[in-house]
Amino acid sequence: MCGISGIYSKNDNLEFILNKFNQTLKNRGPDNSSIFVNKSNYFGMGHTRLSILDLTERGNQPMYDHSGNWVISFNGEIYNHLEIRSYLSKKISNKINWVSDSDTETILLANNILGFEETLKCLEGMFALALYNKQENILYLARDRVGEKPLYYYNKDNKFIFGSDIS
């Protein structure tokens, strides 16, 4: 299990807030704690990691796609991620240079090739994720069809906050 969090707010202390979120979520992911902040768009997200599939730091999050435009914070496991990798390689008729063995990277690249909605249709597993496009300043939140992984959100007073834990 991992912890994800994020905030849209005109607050100047996004790093401080996200680090506090990560402290709260440390029990969900003791192996790594990282944040991403885009000050110009008043957005940031955090991640606490419990390493399962890729035990190296290449699996740390928030993770960037190959273009550097998409950022993801992901909690869960995609059971069919190896099949998705094979499908993507066939779809683009090219060998893909994977950076990690993580299902997180699989989601990122699938999103680039297939788009967000088609990627969600492919995913079999338990998950909650936040996927942010830096260029377009768009945030997508999703969780598995059964809702096994938690994803809470708050939207009020020009603030949007989300996380794996309500606290």
Side-chain angles (χ1 to χ4, degrees):
M1 130 178 100
C2 297
I4 68 172
S5 64
I7 183 169
Y8 264 113
S9 174
K10 292 201 175 180
N11 189 316
D12 289 334
N13 295 318
L14 289 179
E15 292 97 343
F16 177 79
I17 293 167
L18 289 164
N19 283 316
K20 283 292 216 186
F21 287 173
N22 279 2
Q23 286 175 5
T24 302
L25 295 170
K26 187 171 182 149
N27 65 311
R28 298 186 64 85
D31 296 329
N32 187 57
S33 175
S34 299
I35 64 171
F36 159 80
V37 175
N38 186 336
K39 287 185 180 184
S40 62
N41 288 327
Y42 310 106
F43 175 73
M45 65 180 160
H47 189 268
T48 58
R49 181 176 185 216
L50 177 65
S51 303
I52 304 241
L53 288 182
D54 184 334
L55 304 180
T56 70
E57 63 184 40
R58 294 177 307 213
N60 287 348
Q61 300 177 48
M63 183 183 285
Y64 303 86
D65 74 338
H66 297 177
S67 74
N69 190 44
W70 288 93
V71 185
I72 191 171
S73 186
F74 164 73
N75 171 31
E77 184 176 353
I78 305 303
Y79 306 134
N80 65 331
H81 91 96
L82 294 177
E83 290 93 17
I84 294 171
R85 284 183 177 217
S86 176
Y87 171 73
L88 295 175
S89 292
K90 290 174 187 168
K91 183 158 183 73
I92 65 170
S93 302
N94 209 347
K95 179 164 174 32
I96 298 171
N97 293 320
W98 297 97
V99 176
S100 74
D101 294 323
S102 73
D103 47 1
T104 308
E105 185 181 14
T106 304
I107 297 168
L108 278 168
L109 195 56
N111 180 66
N112 266 351
I113 295 170
L114 306 174
F116 184 70
E117 289 184 29
E118 287 303 310
T119 296
L120 285 182
K121 290 177 186 176
C122 292
L123 302 180
E124 294 175 11
M126 55 178 179
F127 61 89
L129 63 86
L131 189 60
Y132 177 68
N133 183 298
K134 296 189 304 187
Q135 189 174 27
E136 296 178 18
N137 193 32
I138 295 174
L139 172 68
Y140 294 100
L141 296 176
R143 65 184 205 175
D144 62 86
R145 292 160 189 83
V146 179
E148 189 170 343
K149 291 297 180 181
L151 181 60
Y152 300 95
Y153 66 91
Y154 169 88
N155 187 18
K156 189 174 180 182
D157 300 328
N158 294 319
K159 287 185 184 131
F160 183 79
I161 302 168
F162 66 88
S164 296
D165 196 305
I166 201 156
S167 62

